Amino acid sequence: MAYPNRNRPSTDHETSAPIPRTAAPRTRPRTALLAGALATALTAALVHAPQAVAAPAPLNPPTCETDPEAPPKHQMRAEWIAGVLNIDWPSRQGLTPAEQQAELTDLYDGAVDNGLNAVFVQVRPTADAFWPSPYEPWSEWLTGEQGGDPGYDPLEFAVEQAHERNLEFHAWYNPYRVAMHEDVDALVEDHPARQNPDWVFEYGGKLYYDPGVPEAREFVIEAMMHSVENYDIDGVHFDDYFYPYPVSGATIPDQDTFAEHGTGFDDVEDWRRNNVDLMVEGMSDAINAVKPQVKFGISPFGIWRNSSTDPNGSDTNGSQSYDNQFADSRKWVLEGWLDYINPQVYWEIGLPVADYSVLVPWWEEVAAGTDTHLYIGQAAYKAGNAGAWEDPNELSSHLDFNRDHPGVQGDVYFSATSLRTNAKEAMDIVVENHYSSPALVPVKEDLGGTVPAPPRVGVNGAGALEITPGPGEAPAYYAVYGFDGRPARGQAPCGIEDPRTMLGTVRAGDDGSATFAVPESGDTTYYVTAVHRLHHESRASKPQYLP
């Protein structure tokens, strides 16, 4: 992940701009009222997947036309919340549990205010843990002391609070980084890296697990999987760090590892790429075996390879993750190991060395025909920088461009703090131009899941909607839609497929019920749909009219 002091890429990663089929897909058993005039012009396709349970007969939809101006109803809208170096959360070491919790819920509330529907929260920044792990110590970024108990379970709290706001929660891990310093003896005595020094190398002033050591690879997968198995997370997320970014004048010290484990490889770089592939595929398989409904995604550096190096590459001239981090991200998509790819396209439209308008279509083509969703990593941390980023419209222009590329199914912003500081004006424009209506997280059909029965809707004494589940499996949440005037008799409304009719979503409680406070306006008809954990949406409920 790029951090605020990194300005990537150009042809030199450490200097100015960022340095720069057919394959078996991964298969797994796996808020504003719309005026009446618009409500007669929009689509009424109310089912995303086959009904899995018996449900009341649906209302008969009229013939509707799709509004070509309607925004996407399913769209990933997320932000990264970084823990390393206390970039986002916690903002500093040693906060009390109450202070840490207040900070995180404040970030979550900001995400909701910005129209986001997911958070990618860093829970293993440096071979440590934001949960009580039996494999690795408590993170120093929590208390200031590696191994120091923060007094509560931050991961449990983070997941619960995200779901309470109906934000999808992706746990973000750094697989190989051990420490932001080079002193093994400074790690806590029982740290696995200190107990197994042959698993570790020092490079560029930092410590890393050596991806070429099979035991180290297996260990990091096992350590991360502990949280997957024990917490109600929605996704597993890696950023762009595999082998470390190149440091001028330094050589990765893995020649002895290559000599011991490199049988079958003549080239150390091919061997390194294979090591990373083994970890990515291994993590994919481990998730699939335990919780196939949990999505697995990676956010690689935005350039795989340049076309001048490889005819399959992009028309760019920057640093290449295939060669520098030994990350064959294109292969991971084509092999079906990932549920989503989220390249960090951290450059402006028109930048010659790495043009946003060149890279997004390139990634769209890579993902086309696969089951891998494509989300774009957006450099909110650059907003306000000299040049193109001085224009607060730059981020919104990226989303304008994406609308013309239907293979792009959403965006993720680095990072949460930037969206409320240097990028606040830019994000306000994004919200106004693109996020003024809610969106549901995209459905990944190959993960399985069922379509819930339509819910039942009533009104309580306070005038709020009381929602209870229909028969069968209870949904994860509900989506509420509002239309002016009385309902058409015996008909479902046009427009439920248009998110501009959606007032918002509300998480279902343990019993499957929910309460939704409607806006203070009269002569409105409300419809509610039930939504599965994997975002399959039911048909509409019977109408609830409030005069």
Side-chain angles (χ1 to χ4, degrees), residues 386-523:
W389 294 96
E390 288 180 286
D391 183 354
N393 292 287
E394 179 68 26
L395 276 181
S396 185
S397 296
H398 291 191
L399 272 63
D400 290 337
F401 184 86
N402 293 356
R403 282 294 299 272
D404 293 329
H405 293 273
V408 177
Q409 298 192 56
D411 300 87
V412 186
Y413 300 87
F414 189 82
S415 66
T417 298
S418 289
L419 296 186
R420 53 178 45 195
T421 54
N422 63 291
K424 185 180 186 310
E425 182 181 3
M427 196 62 189
D428 287 345
I429 295 171
V430 166
V431 172
E432 180 179 358
N433 293 346
H434 299 279
Y435 293 172
S436 59
S437 303
L440 308 181
V441 172
V443 175
K444 274 208 91 250
E445 300 291 354
D446 62 310
L447 297 191
T450 59
V451 177
R456 302 179 178 92
V457 184
V459 179
N460 65 20
L465 300 181
E466 288 290 347
I467 309 167
T468 55
E473 180 184 358
Y477 63 99
Y478 299 98
V480 181
Y481 301 83
F483 297 84
D484 289 345
R486 293 179 176 273
R489 184 179 299 274
Q491 289 188 332
C494 286
I496 285 202
E497 283 303 300
D498 188 317
R500 290 172 293 184
T501 67
M502 193 191 306
L503 303 181
T505 64
V506 58
R507 197 80 176 182
D510 291 340
D511 62 354
S513 66
T515 301
F516 187 88
V518 300
E520 293 184 4
S521 58
D523 197 34

Side-chain angles (χ1 to χ4, degrees), residues 221-499:
I221 292 174
E222 191 173 9
M224 293 184 288
M225 283 302 300
H226 180 262
S227 61
V228 179
E229 293 166 359
N230 289 282
Y231 293 84
D232 191 25
I233 66 175
D234 302 293
V236 166
H237 182 77
F238 296 166
D239 57 11
D240 54 325
Y241 287 96
F242 298 97
Y243 279 84
Y245 275 86
V247 173
S248 179
T251 301
I252 295 175
D254 62 354
Q255 293 306 308
D256 290 343
T257 311
F258 181 46
E260 183 176 357
H261 299 290
T263 303
F265 290 90
D266 296 326
D267 184 87
V268 69
E269 296 190 353
D270 289 338
W271 171 73
R272 288 171 182 165
R273 273 183 289 274
N274 185 65
N275 294 332
V276 176
D277 288 348
L278 289 171
M279 190 274 294
V280 171
E281 184 181 18
M283 192 68 186
S284 179
D285 290 343
I287 297 166
N288 190 32
V290 174
K291 287 188 177 178
Q293 76 277 11
V294 170
K295 289 174 273 193
F296 179 34
I298 295 180
S299 179
F301 184 75
I303 299 173
W304 172 71
R305 296 193 99 184
N306 302 310
S307 57
S308 57
T309 303
D310 188 317
N312 291 316
S314 52
D315 186 15
T316 50
N317 192 32
S319 176
Q320 305 172 117
S321 61
Y322 179 95
D323 303 275
N324 290 333
Q325 288 78 51
F326 307 101
D328 194 353
S329 49
R330 179 176 177 270
K331 177 180 179 179
W332 307 336
V333 174
L334 299 181
E335 290 291 338
W337 296 340
L338 304 180
D339 294 304
Y340 65 87
I341 191 80
N342 177 204
Q344 297 173 30
V345 188
Y346 280 179
W347 311 296
E348 64 265 29
I349 295 172
L351 180 69
V353 71
D355 189 339
Y356 184 93
S357 65
V358 167
L359 281 161
V360 167
W362 184 87
W363 280 106
E364 183 182 32
E365 184 176 353
V366 169
T370 75
D371 288 327
T372 307
H373 283 188
L374 172 62
Y375 312 137
I376 302 300
Q378 300 287 352
Y381 74 96
K382 285 188 174 180
N385 284 5
W389 294 96
E390 288 180 286
D391 183 354
N393 292 287
E394 179 68 26
L395 276 181
S396 185
S397 296
H398 291 191
L399 272 63
D400 290 337
F401 184 86
N402 293 356
R403 282 294 299 272
D404 293 329
H405 293 273
V408 177
Q409 298 192 56
D411 300 87
V412 186
Y413 300 87
F414 189 82
S415 66
T417 298
S418 289
L419 296 186
R420 53 178 45 195
T421 54
N422 63 291
K424 185 180 186 310
E425 182 181 3
M427 196 62 189
D428 287 345
I429 295 171
V430 166
V431 172
E432 180 179 358
N433 293 346
H434 299 279
Y435 293 172
S436 59
S437 303
L440 308 181
V441 172
V443 175
K444 274 208 91 250
E445 300 291 354
D446 62 310
L447 297 191
T450 59
V451 177
R456 302 179 178 92
V457 184
V459 179
N460 65 20
L465 300 181
E466 288 290 347
I467 309 167
T468 55
E473 180 184 358
Y477 63 99
Y478 299 98
V480 181
Y481 301 83
F483 297 84
D484 289 345
R486 293 179 176 273
R489 184 179 299 274
Q491 289 188 332
C494 286
I496 285 202
E497 283 303 300
D498 188 317

Side-chain angles (χ1 to χ4, degrees), residues 116-168:
L116 306 185
N117 54 26
V119 287
F120 292 10
V121 181
Q122 194 169 38
V123 299
R124 184 182 180 271
T126 47
D128 51 16
F130 275 44
W131 73 96
S133 168
Y135 297 95
E136 295 177 309
W138 282 109
S139 177
E140 67 175 294
W141 310 111
L142 293 168
T143 63
E145 176 189 359
Q146 189 172 71
D149 189 334
Y152 74 112
D153 187 336
L155 178 54
E156 180 181 55
F157 178 82
V159 174
E160 289 176 351
Q161 291 298 310
H163 287 167
E164 185 175 301
R165 291 158 177 79
N166 206 32
L167 294 167
E168 194 171 67

Side-chain angles (χ1 to χ4, degrees), residues 1-4 81-90 93 122-126 128 130 139-141 172 174 177 179-180 206 239 241 414:
M1 178 60 56
Y3 300 124
I81 299 178
V84 69
L85 302 175
N86 299 112
I87 291 173
D88 294 310
W89 178 72
Q93 300 173 8
Q122 194 169 38
V123 299
R124 184 182 180 271
T126 47
D128 51 16
F130 275 44
S139 177
E140 67 175 294
W141 310 111
W172 166 20
N174 189 292
R177 184 172 57 207
M180 303 296 283
K206 299 181 178 67
D239 57 11
Y241 287 96
F414 189 82

